[in-house]
Amino acid sequence: MIKTILGIEGMACSMCEAHVNDAIRKNFVVKRVKSSRRKKTCVVVSEEPLDKDRVRAVLAELGYDLVSIS
């Protein structure tokens, strides 16, 4: 399993967290995803590495900015 931490700007409420979680689940094969507006992060557990450019595009469609990935 691969744990990826996404740094995301623009999440302001629990609905923002839910939108990010749903978008990640729809576009990637993941085991677990959890977003935090307070920490400005989204933690994703997957079997395959996430494509950084695709993650950036998916989040941009929702109006969020990917600022880091580790």
Side-chain angles (χ1 to χ4, degrees), residues 4-13 15-25 28 33-44 50 52 54-70:
T4 307
I5 301 172
L6 308 174
I8 302 172
E9 288 289 332
M11 290 188 291
C13 64
M15 286 306 296
C16 293
E17 294 170 346
H19 288 144
V20 169
N21 291 345
D22 290 344
I24 296 294
R25 285 188 192 105
F28 303 94
V33 58
K34 181 172 172 132
S35 297
S36 169
R37 67 185 178 274
R38 289 186 182 102
K39 294 179 183 177
K40 298 182 181 181
T41 61
C42 178
V43 178
V44 181
L50 301 180
K52 183 177 182 176
R54 189 163 167 219
V55 171
R56 186 179 308 282
V58 166
L59 293 174
E61 284 180 26
L62 298 174
Y64 304 111
D65 294 320
L66 178 66
V67 294
S68 66
I69 187 168
S70 61

Side-chain angles (χ1 to χ4, degrees), residues 1-4 29-32 44-49:
M1 293 292 156
I2 299 170
K3 180 178 178 180
T4 307
V29 178
V30 299
K31 294 289 184 182
R32 189 176 58 197
V44 181
V45 177
S46 59
E47 291 186 15
E48 300 291 324

